Amino acid sequence: MGTSRNYTELSYVWESWRTRVSRKIRPFYLQYMSLINKHARLNNYTDAGDLMRKKYETDTFEQDMLALYEELDPLYRLVHAYVRKKLRQVYGDQVIPPRGPLPACVLGDMWGRFWTNLYPELVPYPEQPDIDVTQTMQDGGYNVTHMFKLGEEFFTSMGLKPLPETFWNLSMLERPEGRSVQCHATAWDFYDSKDFRIRMCSEVNFENLETVHHELGHIQYFMQYAHLPLTYRDGANDGFHEAIGELMSMSMSTPKHLAEIGLLQEVPESKELSINFLMRTALKSVTTLPFHLVNDLWRWRLFRGEYDTDEANEEFWKLKEQYLGVVAPVSRTKDDLDAVSIFHIATGYDMIRYFTRTVLQFQFFETLCRAANHQGPLHTCDFYGSKEAGDLLARMLSLGSSQPWQDVLQVMTGERRMTARPLLDYFRPLKEWLEEDNARGGDGVGWGDSWKQTPGTSRAPRAATPFSLWAIPLMALMWRP
Ligand SMILES: [Zn+2]
């Protein structure tokens, strides 16, 4: 799904996975759903979705998330329009109509969750040095241990905790020979205050180096709150836990930092390189926002009984089209339940944590950059080596879940609310570039009824192209990307 650009092949694999996996899970999932609903009601929640949302201890959580997304939606639509324009050059107008939604199978993974694999097709300035430094890592003889040592060193450079000896002896950092293992990267707290491990089938590439930082973020959190009573050894909310490693990886992957550690040639900061960098960052953050929101919005509504189980799949695709401008590449039936084709839903983990983490990671990022006395645009900040930033982060992490997340957020950022502002600030240069690009020769922004011409465009509008529509775990023991 990451590298093929053959549409027939992609849609075949996309459909087969859902026929062989999610269609089989469907009856179990529906039974599971009624059981967790019963469990929630017996504990005085209105339904299982209510229970999931109550982890955030805010009565208006659902409305808050929808309001937050409204601020982020214009940026998503600009990226969507650019991706559509570029993918149209790959697949043609028949597959991707200029004002239509995107087929779900061309987005770079099995679910269209992370679009980073599309970067080679989307890179705005291909003549710039490649900021995906996989080749350099492989040519330089990197191995998995190097990658974890590099990650650990990023944390310790800020005065944060080093990994214990047991981490190196007891983790599974590579796919073992001769036995089948679960390869979805996870970080584990054994709750004895000293045993923390990662299970990951790491490979030497840049994307995995970022995942290493992500998982080490969970480990750092475990270590920082290890002194607290068991109940408080958790993130201030789930989004906090997911945000820490992403935060480190945002700083690590800046061209400036990559040059410092010898993975990228020294290049002067330029607008072109910045736009490439921001585009790649957007493909693993901005474009995931509606993806993660919809996965839980769909579940919340299903658990509330807003639609029948027979309509559930159709409702899922309605939401996908409304929020993401993404449609199923082949027709679906009542026997399908495509939402459960992903690990997190099939195994009962909420996904709103990845929505809140994306918002939070930019709030944290801005704060740490300020602590590190960063000058210049936010996206060029690298707080590697800043003890001030490290102290601030440690102060927040060591509180675990012992205080309401709003209080913890205030300790760190001075604010009590999740806000989209730092994310929008960070991506402002990309947003302006996308607006100009769209006005110069883009297809307009949005899809179907929501299509709009970009303001400032001088081209006469084209005729609209028609397109076809058609167990909550008791304890969060493991954390995954
Ligand atoms: Zn994670």
Side-chain angles (χ1 to χ4, degrees), residues 185 187 214-215 218 241-242 246 354 357 479-481:
H214 176 97
E215 298 304 334
H218 290 309
H241 227 303
E242 295 300 343
E246 291 300 307
Y354 302 101
R357 76 106 183 265
W479 297 83
R480 62 219 66 71

Side-chain angles (χ1 to χ4, degrees), residues 1-18 20 90-91 95 103-110 329-330:
M1 298 307 284
T3 54
S4 170
R5 298 296 179 254
N6 174 336
Y7 187 77
T8 313
E9 183 177 52
L10 287 168
S11 60
Y12 169 77
V13 174
W14 187 94
E15 183 180 15
S16 304
W17 174 264
R18 280 152 184 81
R20 293 175 195 204
V90 178
Y91 297 103
V95 171
C105 62
V106 299
L107 299 172
D109 69 20
M110 185 55 90
V330 290

